[in-house]
């Protein structure tokens, strides 16, 4: 404990406040394995994962991160057993119900990215209410990626673009800026830093377009154990990277 407290102090002193990543995206992975290692059912891992979300949101906003995007449910996660899907679908509502007062106090703005129409009504309602209640907030944007899949987002963008052209919008030749404006992340900067927990080193259909030049940081820690220390480690490592964007 003492060792990690010392490390935290060290990191806080070393991190440069002027180079905090603007947008941090997180693939919150490893809830099931966290639970299995403790002999618990998978849903206990998801339940504990919500605690890690609470802490990470609080810490990110405190550190001055401007956009935090959390991958909470993918378009592929419907393949899981119905009971697990149902449990996962109960979490956004529970989280927002208990955290909304604090989110409002901390000036956090809640938003949803993903195909919300396919989410259960109660989930849509909870997230829309959270978004509505925080829409005037000017602090950190908290994006929940729910029923999010990057390929489906790109196809959705293409279809909406084609529709607009059919309706007579004069788009001319499509460039990266126009195309980006059709994505869920239209008015947001690309992630500077992607964090994935649980030791897996893949993107799993998350923000394929937006991650083009993001710095990637992987940790073996399971999501329910992800703490301020790990967030600080990720930012510290990020600040050591030299972002070249193809230049020298
Ligand atoms: C992340 O943990 C939560 C979601 C993907 C919804 P997992 O449930 O994927 O946990 P593991 O990867 O099976 O350990
Ligand atoms: C990615 O985790 C999706 C979320 C964290 C919501 P998965 O556990 O679904 O990813 P894979 O299946 O291991 O690639
Ligand atoms: Mg997983």
């Amino acid at each position: 404990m003492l060792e990690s407290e010392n490390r935290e102090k060290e990191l806080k002193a070393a991190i440069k406040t002027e180079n905090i990543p603007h947008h941090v995206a997180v693939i919150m992975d490893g809830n099931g394995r966290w639970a299995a290692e403790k002999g618990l059912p998978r849903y206990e891992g998801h339940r504990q994962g919500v605690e890690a979300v609470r802490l990470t949101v609080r810490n990110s906003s405190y550190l001055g991160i401007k956009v935090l995007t959390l991958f909470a449910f993918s378009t592929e996660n419907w393949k899981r057993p119905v009971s697990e899907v149902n449990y996962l679908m109960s979490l956004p509502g529970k989280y927002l119900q208990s955290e909304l007062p604090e989110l409002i106090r901390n000036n956090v703005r809640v938003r949803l990215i993903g195909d919300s129409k396919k989410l259960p009504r109660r989930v849509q309602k909870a997230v829309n209410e959270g978004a509505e209640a925080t829409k005037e907030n000017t602090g950190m944007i908290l994006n929940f990626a729910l029923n999010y899949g990057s390929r489906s987002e790109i196809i959705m963008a293409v279809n909406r673009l084609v529709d607009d052209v059919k309706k007579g919008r004069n788009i001319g030749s499509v460039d990266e800026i126009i195309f980006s404006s059709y994505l869920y992340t239209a008015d947001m900067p690309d992630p500077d830093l992607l964090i994935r927990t649980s030791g897996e080193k893949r993107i799993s259909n998350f923000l394929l377009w937006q991650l083009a030049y993001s710095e990637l940081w992987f940790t073996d820690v399971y999501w329910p154990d992800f703490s301020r220390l790990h967030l600080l480690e990720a930012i510290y490592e990020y600040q050591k990277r030299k972002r070249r964007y193809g230049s020298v």
Side-chain angles (χ1 to χ4, degrees):
M1 190 61 201
L2 207 65
E3 205 182 313
S4 69
E5 274 173 22
N6 281 339
R7 179 67 183 151
E8 218 177 286
K9 273 200 198 121
E10 235 172 67
L11 289 167
K12 273 194 196 141
I15 286 172
K16 300 181 210 67
T17 48
E18 69 278 10
N19 187 24
I20 298 292
H22 194 100
H23 183 175
V24 176
V26 188
I27 303 178
M28 310 185 287
D29 198 13
N31 295 352
R33 280 164 285 166
W34 180 91
E37 281 188 9
K38 294 183 157 47
L40 298 168
R42 289 179 60 85
Y43 78 87
E44 285 292 351
H46 298 315
R47 188 158 69 155
Q48 202 54 41
V50 177
E51 296 309 312
V53 170
R54 278 185 227 283
L55 291 176
T56 303
V57 169
R58 203 172 287 162
N59 292 327
S60 299
S61 136
Y62 180 74
L63 281 164
I65 290 167
K66 296 282 187 288
V67 185
L68 177 69
T69 300
L70 301 177
F71 202 6
F73 193 89
S74 77
T75 47
E76 287 72 33
N77 288 147
W78 298 107
K79 292 176 198 160
R80 297 184 178 206
V82 178
S83 57
E84 182 169 346
V85 168
N86 286 343
Y87 187 77
L88 287 167
M89 288 298 157
S90 75
L91 297 177
K94 278 187 201 151
Y95 170 80
L96 286 170
Q97 199 182 14
S98 74
E99 289 304 281
L100 212 49
E102 181 175 326
L103 294 172
I104 292 170
R105 252 195 332 272
N106 289 342
N107 199 19
V108 173
R109 181 170 175 197
V110 176
R111 296 179 61 174
L112 174 70
I113 64 168
D115 186 356
S116 60
K117 293 184 302 299
K118 295 202 183 103
L119 291 169
R121 277 251 168 266
R122 64 180 198 290
V123 179
Q124 292 184 35
K125 190 165 171 277
V127 185
N128 288 337
E129 281 171 6
E132 185 60 29
T134 57
K135 72 172 184 217
E136 306 292 349
N137 288 353
T138 53
M140 187 177 82
I141 294 176
L142 171 58
N143 283 318
F144 280 105
L146 276 172
N147 193 26
Y148 176 86
S150 191
R151 287 190 170 182
S152 109
E153 175 187 37
I154 289 168
I155 297 298
M156 177 265 325
V158 170
N159 282 318
R160 283 182 43 208
L161 208 155
V162 169
D163 270 358
D164 277 359
V165 173
K166 279 189 198 150
K167 282 183 200 140
R169 182 174 169 197
N170 184 9
I171 287 174
S173 73
V174 178
D175 61 15
E176 292 182 11
I177 293 169
I178 292 175
F179 183 73
S180 298
S181 75
Y182 282 86
L183 297 170
Y184 296 124
T185 49
D187 46 359
M188 285 169 242
D190 288 339
D192 300 291
L193 172 65
L194 171 81
I195 295 173
R196 182 170 189 150
T197 57
S198 90
E200 306 298 355
K201 293 182 183 65
R202 54 176 170 260
I203 303 297
S204 300
N205 199 17
F206 190 43
L207 302 171
L208 299 178
W209 170 275
Q210 297 88 336
L211 291 173
Y213 262 112
S214 307
E215 295 299 326
L216 312 179
W217 190 79
F218 299 100
T219 174
D220 287 341
V221 167
Y222 293 139
W223 177 251
D225 288 329
F226 188 85
S227 69
R228 179 164 56 200
L229 177 69
H230 306 112
L231 182 64
L232 293 171
E233 291 282 6
I235 294 174
Y236 177 65
E237 171 70 27
Y238 166 83
Q239 293 191 340
K240 289 199 292 191
R241 307 268 178 97
K242 169 117 179 62
R243 303 183 78 184
R244 292 190 195 83
Y245 300 99
S247 178
V248 287

